[in-house]
Amino acid sequence: MDVSSCDVLVVGGGAAGLRAAIAIAEANLNLRVAVISKVYPMRSHTVSAEGGAAAVIKPNDSLDEHAYDTISGGDWLCDQDAVEAFVNEAPVEMLRLEHWGCPWSRQPDGRVAVRSFGGMKVERTWFAADKTGFHMLHSLFQTTLKYEAIQRYDECFVTKLLVEKGRCQGVVAIEVATGKILAITAKAVILATGGCGKVFPFTTNGAIKTGDGMALAYRAGAPLKDMEFVQYHPTGLPLTGILITEATRSEGGWLLNKDGYRYLQDYDLGKPQPKPVLRSMELGPRDRLSQAFVKEQAKGRTLEGPYGHYVHLDIRHLGEKLIDKKLPFVRALCRKYVNLDPVKEMIPVRPVVHYMMGGIHTDIYGATPLPGLYAAGEAACVSINGANRLGSNSLTECLVFGARAGQAAAAFAAEQKETNPAISAQARDEQRRLEESFLRKTDGKERIAPLREEMHKNMEACAGIYRTGAELKRAAQVLRGLQDRFHDLQLDDRSYTFNTELTAALELSFMLDVAEGIVASAFARQESRGSHQRTDHPQRDDDKFLAHSLAYRSPEGPPRIEHLPVTITRWPPGQRVYGK
Amino acid sequence: MAETITLSVARYRPEEEAEPTVQTYEVPYRKDWVVLDALNYIKDQLDGSLSFRWSCRMGVCGSCGMTVNGEPKLTCAVFLSDYLPGPIRVEPLQYFPIVRDLVVDISDFLEKLQKVKPWIILKEEKPLSEGEYRQTPDQLDTYKQFSMCINCMLCYAACPIYGLEPGFVGPAAIALAQRYNLDSRDMGAQERLDILSQKGGIWDCTFVGECTKVCPENVDPAGAIQQYKLAGAAHWFKSLLLPWGAK
Ligand SMILES: Cc1cc2nc3c(=O)[nH]c(=O)nc-3n(C[C@H](O)[C@H](O)[C@H](O)COP(=O)(O)OP(=O)(O)OC[C@H]3O[C@@H](n4cnc5c(N)ncnc54)[C@H](O)[C@@H]3O)c2cc1C
Ligand code: SF4
Ligand code: FES
């Protein structure tokens, strides 16, 4: 076992983690910062974000409009103080990234260009063609290389948080290349581990998005907030779940059913116009569009292919020139993965699990209830996304709250004395657990893939776009069963060198915890709001549920759910109106 | 009986064997499967001990580069159907030390990348309150192509110079240095040129051009190196002719 230490440890090398690391390096020159990531930072899933990042910069826009779009988009479950901080700091954070070299798309006069996005009343989404996340991540990563204070542990997989005397004081990790156990002590830890789309079978999320940080925090006693809110993106490619960005629709793309009809007009989203209208039709919010698909399917008006039902996304009328300039990645993805050219043919699409509104409960500084533990990015729930995130808010969220968490953690760390030596005993226990439960275990009967498949089936069937109490109850039982069976797991691979079967097993166990959090929170929320639709409770119920769900781990059995009132500042709950 | 296809996969488990070996697996043939899907089938259904890297499965994270039938490829971007009737040979990227099975050690690249200072260098950054640096679409276009590098390492695996001379900075790092040199916001070209004019820098390249051929993102690292050499040569001539005005 290797023991090392730093002042602030950032877990995760995506947009949120890297932004936090730079904030710490800049906040206090005396602090030793480290970024630990299970993949090289530039592989983090931020890399796949396509459409753009929202921040008010143009004179026809205002912070209040951005706040209102976000809050109404989130069906009033957003904490409004968090949203106000977010929209205020978003422009400066985006400019900072411009100064760091991000290749934003530009207007002819050299200023940053913006595009419209779903659920937004004014165009405010900055973009770098349709590879925004890729460019943001690489710009951030390359910028971190200039800070000598930022140390890295690349390809190191965190398995446990070290908590001693009620304070988070570091982590235990596996150095994947060698299998060596690392005990890294820190005065503060920031979890920026991203989302958990892989809990579901059909998702835009990469293999690494397994909710690790959420489960780590939950196991350490911090609650998970609003886990029932899972975003389906309306336009994923069948089979692979590869995302076709919303920017296709903001540029003017149409969603058509099997009769070539723009069916969204039947779902209270406005009437079709030749040019895109903001907050209307194809530019409605994601939850409403994904729900419309399910209803359209029930009416028998979708198409059916080898990978399930789908509708058409038609961008042919945008023309080759615009497509090549603003949506080149979409064209390349379609050609490569569905063997068609969107300049000439319609793209088959269906709703796909995309983003987690819920996450580790934090305050507006990124602090969790566990002293010394912070969280930011998709892993966290501050919450600015409420019951439904607006597209292009989350990349910006990674910057704003990554920076905030970095600053808060730096301030906390500066006040702490050395970490407690007792935690190395804990690290040894963790090493023993990994050996006994996985590497040296010989009597197991279960394999990873079937357990994962069963979790997938169960989540898709019971915790998808529409849910009922009875199904959720069944899902909770199935998950309990899977948790038991997980203890009987047997690995084929017993080596220490780059053992990806071991990391896959640990990821599966993280996902099972996260899945239980989703299902239990969804069961407890007996109303329909945003992305959480209960057919047995079809109305929004502000009297009972204008509140966040908090899922706490209980020693045995499923999580315990509590509720916490939403913070309302200036926008009393209202109706969500689109297409008017 | 469903159709199948054979994958012959390079294995190397340093704790058990001194040399790499080959193992063959029979996997279902599906026309819309990429090679990576077949590897995942093996891992899930046949042999959990096979190790390889992947994440996005959409050609953008740069993790899944391997040698497929002798050529460096992103395994999530080549299809089983490209290699009919098989067998398909899958090996780790060449010229890098093998860690295990299909996983290679790329830490050398990360050190080199840092060495070329791939960040905006300014004498003094203007305050954020003054807003963005103006950059016209044309100015953006001059460096955009070099900014598309996903660090997949295919170009290193294709570069015979890197194979012979591991000290060579290599195609992607040079392309990324040039990406910043050409960025209208940057003032670091000279610093980077000083670094890249040293041993292991641009002059090591004999212009084989394989890097550009294998690049999945059309980054054209060979073009970057060529541009760089011209800039380097011009700078060298200038310093001979006008020793007082070279900077
Ligand atoms: C296809 C796609 C398109 C998107 N498009 C947009 C868009 O246009 N606009 C927008 O605003 N949002 C978009 N999003 C959402 C947005 O990209 C993500 O929410 C955001 O990038 C998350 O960043 P992050 O830093 O929180 O996490 P990630 O980028 O996922 O990074 C997580 C990091 O944590 C590390 N990690 C995880 N677990 C461990 C562990 N156990 N040990 C060590 N390290 C660990 C990983 O290695 C990684 O470095 C998109 C998402 C997807 C999937
Ligand atoms: S230049 Fe091309 S081949 Fe080389 S690492 Fe970058 S993307 Fe890969
Ligand atoms: S898995 Fe990301 S590039 Fe292939």
Side-chain angles (χ1 to χ4, degrees):
Chain A
M1 192 171 77
D2 247 30
V3 184
S4 56
S5 79
C6 62
D7 292 313
V8 185
L9 181 67
V10 182
V11 186
L18 295 177
R19 180 64 192 94
I22 298 176
I24 299 156
E26 292 193 334
N28 185 335
L29 295 175
N30 298 319
L31 291 179
R32 293 164 305 142
V33 196
V35 175
I36 183 168
S37 173
K38 66 178 175 178
V39 295
Y40 279 101
M42 69 280 185
R43 315 292 190 214
S44 304
H45 205 60
T46 294
V47 81
S48 69
E50 300 171 20
V56 173
I57 179 127
K58 298 297 177 193
N60 65 336
D61 200 0
S62 75
L63 298 179
D64 277 7
E65 297 263 25
H66 191 186
Y68 182 78
D69 284 343
T70 301
I71 290 162
S72 57
D75 216 349
W76 274 271
L77 196 71
C78 317
D79 280 329
Q80 298 183 3
D81 53 345
V83 174
E84 290 193 63
F86 167 68
V87 300
N88 267 322
E89 289 164 30
V92 137
E93 281 298 326
M94 296 291 287
L95 278 172
R96 196 162 268 144
L97 215 63
E98 196 279 329
H99 286 208
W100 288 339
C102 189
W104 297 115
S105 293
R106 303 285 175 153
Q107 300 173 176
D109 67 358
R111 290 189 185 279
V112 167
V114 290
R115 64 170 33 136
S116 51
F117 239 67
M120 302 263 196
K121 206 164 164 185
V122 184
E123 307 76 1
R124 66 171 70 93
T125 298
W126 304 36
F127 58 103
D130 54 357
K131 280 204 172 170
T132 307
F134 162 79
H135 285 298
M136 286 177 66
L137 182 66
H138 281 253
S139 301
L140 276 166
F141 176 60
Q142 289 162 11
T143 300
T144 59
L145 297 178
K146 89 178 172 199
Y147 293 91
E148 268 162 32
I150 303 177
Q151 221 203 334
R152 288 203 324 270
Y153 296 88
D154 291 336
E155 297 198 319
C156 293
F157 186 108
V158 175
T159 67
K160 185 184 165 58
L161 298 179
L162 291 169
V163 181
E164 181 73 32
K165 302 218 162 92
R167 180 155 80 79
C168 181
Q169 306 198 33
V171 308
V172 179
I174 305 170
E175 182 178 73
V176 182
T178 60
K180 197 158 57 186
I181 299 296
L182 312 177
I184 308 172
T185 62
K187 294 171 184 162
V189 173
I190 303 177
L191 292 170
T193 46
C196 60
K198 281 285 170 188
V199 166
F200 290 83
F202 185 62
T203 174
T204 61
N205 285 194
I208 57 177
K209 297 198 72 169
T210 45
D212 304 10
M214 297 174 185
L216 289 167
Y218 174 72
R219 291 175 185 182
L224 300 179
K225 183 159 75 187
D226 294 341
M227 292 299 282
E228 62 273 41
F229 296 99
V230 178
Q231 178 163 79
Y232 278 74
H233 193 294
T235 60
L237 294 178
L239 173 66
T240 58
I242 289 174
L243 178 77
I244 300 300
T245 171
E246 192 159 297
T248 49
R249 285 172 280 128
S250 60
E251 297 299 339
W254 298 326
L255 283 171
L256 306 173
N257 70 12
K258 72 173 194 222
D259 308 316
Y261 172 72
R262 287 174 72 184
Y263 61 92
L264 294 176
Q265 61 190 290
D266 298 352
Y267 299 97
D268 219 8
L269 284 156
K271 291 289 160 225
Q273 307 291 337
K275 291 265 171 249
V277 177
L278 298 169
R279 279 180 73 109
S280 163
M281 290 294 291
E282 282 83 1
L283 289 181
R286 292 177 178 173
D287 55 340
R288 298 279 298 275
L289 266 58
S290 296
Q291 290 152 18
F293 173 93
V294 179
K295 292 187 176 146
E296 197 65 5
Q297 178 178 342
K299 291 182 193 161
R301 301 202 300 194
T302 49
L303 299 103
E304 207 174 344
Y307 306 108
H309 285 261
Y310 65 93
V311 290
H312 277 135
L313 172 62
D314 190 357
I315 61 170
R316 292 172 300 177
H317 52 285
L318 305 182
E320 185 166 8
K321 210 171 126 206
L322 184 140
I323 292 172
D324 280 347
K325 192 163 157 52
K326 292 192 160 164
L327 304 164
F329 192 36
V330 167
R331 191 174 187 192
L333 287 171
C334 289
R335 282 178 152 166
K336 178 115 251 164
Y337 293 104
V338 281
N339 202 16
L340 65 80
D341 182 356
V343 168
K344 299 190 198 107
E345 290 153 281
M346 295 190 285
I347 310 168
V349 292
R350 53 170 290 206
V352 54
V353 169
H354 182 57
Y355 180 84
M356 193 62 195
M357 270 71 76
I360 305 159
H361 173 41
T362 74
D363 66 14
I364 61 174
Y365 304 102
T368 73
L370 177 64
L373 184 66
Y374 296 77
E378 194 172 336
C381 179
V382 181
S383 122
I384 65 154
N385 299 307
N388 171 61
R389 167 185 75 110
L390 290 191
S392 79
N393 264 354
S394 60
L395 286 172
T396 316
E397 176 183 4
C398 288
L399 300 178
V400 170
F401 290 97
R404 280 182 158 241
Q407 285 148 5
F412 181 88
E415 283 171 12
Q416 305 307 312
K417 305 215 175 41
E418 283 314 307
T419 42
N420 193 317
I423 62 176
S424 60
Q426 268 193 51
R428 266 193 302 280
D429 287 347
E430 176 66 355
Q431 178 165 27
R432 200 168 316 122
R433 176 184 81 99
L434 294 172
E435 293 276 347
E436 285 168 9
S437 312
F438 301 104
L439 290 174
R440 298 286 148 260
K441 188 173 160 82
T442 50
D443 57 350
K445 287 176 198 62
E446 299 285 353
R447 296 192 83 250
I448 295 172
L451 294 183
R452 194 168 50 206
E453 224 164 273
E454 219 162 296
M455 171 188 74
H456 280 165
K457 256 196 261 160
N458 181 50
M459 293 304 282
E460 185 167 62
C462 305
I465 297 178
Y466 286 98
R467 304 156 171 183
T468 67
E471 281 171 347
L472 288 163
K473 200 164 170 187
R474 201 182 63 226
Q477 286 161 356
V478 172
L479 289 170
R480 270 287 105 188
L482 290 174
Q483 292 276 25
D484 288 340
R485 286 169 60 192
F486 182 83
H487 294 300
D488 203 18
L489 193 71
Q490 182 68 46
L491 301 187
D492 295 346
D493 193 346
R494 308 177 152 264
S495 72
Y496 290 95
T497 314
F498 222 98
N499 187 334
T500 51
E501 199 188 22
L502 172 61
T503 52
L506 295 167
E507 287 172 339
L508 173 61
S509 113
F510 289 147
M511 287 193 287
L512 288 173
D513 281 7
V514 168
E516 286 202 290
I518 294 172
V519 166
S521 309
F523 181 75
R525 185 174 290 275
Q526 298 182 342
E527 65 156 357
S528 291
R529 183 187 298 270
S531 69
H532 171 74
Q533 295 291 313
R534 286 275 299 258
T535 48
D536 49 349
H537 297 278
Q539 302 304 323
R540 191 173 95 187
D541 181 353
D542 285 343
D543 289 341
K544 282 205 203 119
F545 291 107
L546 192 60
H548 302 293
S549 316
L550 295 179
Y552 289 88
R553 182 167 210 217
S554 55
E556 287 300 322
R560 169 172 58 84
I561 305 296
E562 293 179 8
H563 289 102
L564 177 78
V566 168
T567 306
I568 305 280
T569 58
R570 292 195 282 138
W571 295 272
Q575 287 311 310
R576 294 172 79 197
V577 181
Y578 293 98
K580 296 272 158 37
Chain B
M1 251 311 273
E3 269 185 276
T4 62
I5 191 164
T6 305
L7 262 66
S8 65
V9 181
R11 300 298 310 267
Y12 174 55
R13 285 145 295 193
E15 292 162 55
E16 292 164 33
E17 55 205 1
E19 289 293 320
T21 55
V22 175
Q23 196 161 343
T24 57
Y25 300 97
E26 203 74 13
V27 304
Y29 171 77
R30 307 244 177 99
K31 97 175 167 349
D32 33 24
W33 269 13
V34 291
V35 171
L36 177 65
D37 294 332
L39 293 174
N40 270 317
Y41 179 88
I42 295 170
K43 182 149 188 90
D44 287 347
Q45 309 299 336
L46 308 176
D47 181 353
S49 78
L50 180 66
S51 268
F52 49 92
R53 294 189 179 103
W54 71 290
S55 175
C56 71
R57 203 210 173 273
M58 58 190 283
V60 68
C61 76
S63 312
C64 69
M66 295 168 213
T67 311
V68 183
N69 278 6
E71 287 176 41
K73 293 284 181 193
L74 291 179
T75 48
C76 73
V78 286
F79 288 78
L80 296 180
S81 60
D82 298 338
Y83 298 96
L84 283 176
I88 305 177
R89 253 186 314 124
V90 187
E91 297 160 304
L93 287 178
Q94 64 173 350
Y95 304 143
F96 292 96
I98 305 172
V99 178
R100 156 90 190 259
D101 297 340
L102 299 166
V103 177
V104 294
D105 180 0
I106 62 162
S107 50
D108 175 55
F109 166 73
L110 279 122
E111 280 162 30
K112 286 173 174 163
L113 180 66
Q114 183 157 26
K115 225 169 78 181
V116 305
K117 305 195 174 182
W119 53 79
I120 294 278
I121 296 176
L122 290 168
K123 292 222 170 63
E124 201 178 341
E125 187 184 325
K126 77 175 182 183
L128 289 165
S129 57
E130 288 174 25
E132 72 260 59
Y133 289 91
R134 300 280 189 108
Q135 183 167 71
T136 65
D138 284 344
Q139 287 174 319
L140 172 64
D141 280 344
T142 55
Y143 73 89
K144 181 89 199 202
Q145 182 184 22
F146 298 136
S147 75
M148 302 302 282
C149 172
I150 62 173
N151 300 178
C152 67
M153 301 294 98
L154 300 194
C155 53
Y156 285 73
C159 173
I161 310 295
Y162 185 64
L164 289 170
E165 185 38 76
F168 177 40
V169 169
I174 297 177
L176 284 163
Q178 185 67 344
R179 170 247 176 277
Y180 283 95
N181 293 337
L182 294 177
D183 190 319
S184 58
R185 293 166 287 192
D186 178 78
M187 295 166 76
Q190 186 59 52
E191 267 178 62
R192 292 189 201 97
L193 184 61
D194 290 345
I195 297 161
L196 283 170
S197 304
Q198 294 164 11
K199 190 166 152 40
I202 46 175
W203 303 108
D204 279 24
C205 168
T206 56
F207 207 67
V208 183
E210 282 301 317
C211 50
T212 289
K213 275 189 225 148
V214 300
C215 176
E217 300 298 319
N218 300 317
V219 171
D220 190 16
I225 299 174
Q226 190 67 349
Q227 285 181 5
Y228 229 121
K229 283 186 174 174
L230 288 172
H235 178 71
W236 183 73
F237 276 122
K238 250 202 235 154
S239 62
L240 279 186
L241 298 173
L242 312 160
W244 60 88
K247 305 244 159 154

